[in-house]
Amino acid sequence: MASPPHRLIHALDRFNAAHPWDHNAHYHRWILRQLPRRFGSALDVGSGAGDLARLLAARADEVHGVDSDPVITARARMLTPAGTAVSFTVADAPTELPAGPHDVITCVAALHHLPFTEALDAFRRHLAPGGTLVVVGLFRPRTTTDHLLGAAAVLPNAAIGRLRNGGRSAAPPASMTAPTRPATMPFSDITEAARAVLPGARLRRRLFWRYTLTWRRP
């Protein structure tokens, strides 16, 4: 017989599966607050269904979205209104990024799929002087702080899922249907490696099993 904690975890898993919501999109408004009101070129790495790229297009002269999945990239193109200054390309990061330089580079829930140091180095090289890099990533919980923060996110996660779905069961958003894999790097290793490539980078653990990284190129 399952213990009460295990029964609670299984019940929450079933509830969250029936009331899904996009944890990455939750941070889109926060990302926009880190950016200038207007900028020239933006690059969104791991653009998925294109939600963030379309938001960036409201401020940018041009936005390039790249993703390795041709199916989700085709969906991004379909969802983007004609005349929007966004292009979507099937490409493998970090070796096939549009040359730039870009005033803004964003990467949401994709960095753990890439060679970490090589990807950050590529972002640095493709970022214009004075440009801004914003990453929302996943990390592997290891410390007591990590696990406490994860536990603190469980009930808000369920509450937000219920509110956003009007209390009804729902299918996952399009942005949640792309293939995923769990993160392997703990937050401490991410911080150490990131600051070696991007001196002065700011990193912070966040709710909903995410961390953020911001860096402005001198």
Side-chain angles (χ1 to χ4, degrees):
M1 181 176 177
S3 65
H6 286 149
R7 288 202 301 269
L8 175 60
I9 290 170
H10 292 322
L12 286 169
D13 284 343
R14 289 194 300 271
F15 181 90
N16 292 333
H19 302 83
W21 61 280
D22 191 339
H23 299 91
N24 301 319
H26 175 77
Y27 286 100
H28 285 176
R29 292 187 182 278
W30 178 86
I31 292 171
L32 293 176
R33 290 196 296 271
Q34 313 312 305
L35 305 177
R37 290 186 178 274
R38 290 295 308 175
F39 43 89
S41 175
L43 171 64
D44 184 30
V45 180
S47 49
D51 294 340
L52 178 57
R54 287 186 288 274
L55 289 175
L56 294 172
R59 297 191 186 183
D61 295 335
E62 58 180 3
V63 180
H64 306 273
V66 297
D67 199 289
S68 62
D69 185 343
V71 175
I72 198 70
T73 301
R75 182 167 180 79
R77 292 171 182 149
M78 181 185 69
L79 292 172
T80 303
T84 306
V86 183
S87 64
F88 293 100
T89 304
V90 178
D92 289 323
T95 58
E96 299 178 344
L97 298 179
H102 305 285
D103 302 297
V104 166
I105 297 179
T106 56
C107 182
V108 178
L111 189 53
H112 67 290
H113 292 277
L114 308 176
F116 187 83
T117 300
E118 292 89 335
L120 289 186
D121 183 62
F123 297 166
R124 179 182 56 79
R125 289 186 284 104
H126 286 76
L127 195 63
T132 303
L133 169 66
V134 183
V135 173
V136 176
L138 284 69
F139 64 95
R140 179 172 63 84
R142 184 171 70 180
T143 67
T144 300
T145 299
D146 296 337
H147 291 294
L148 287 174
L149 190 60
V154 170
L155 291 180
N157 179 66
I160 292 173
R162 184 175 181 84
L163 287 171
R164 294 195 176 183
N165 291 298
R168 298 181 297 274
S169 296
S175 54
M176 295 177 64
T177 59
T180 60
R181 69 168 178 249
T184 58
M185 290 180 69
F187 183 72
S188 58
D189 290 356
I190 289 169
T191 300
E192 181 179 1
R195 288 177 175 161
V197 179
L198 309 172
R202 295 182 296 165
L203 294 98
R204 180 180 171 184
R205 295 179 182 88
R206 299 282 180 173
L207 276 178
F208 308 125
W209 308 281
R210 301 291 187 270
Y211 72 89
T212 58
L213 179 157
T214 57
W215 184 69
R216 288 178 174 81
R217 182 173 180 177

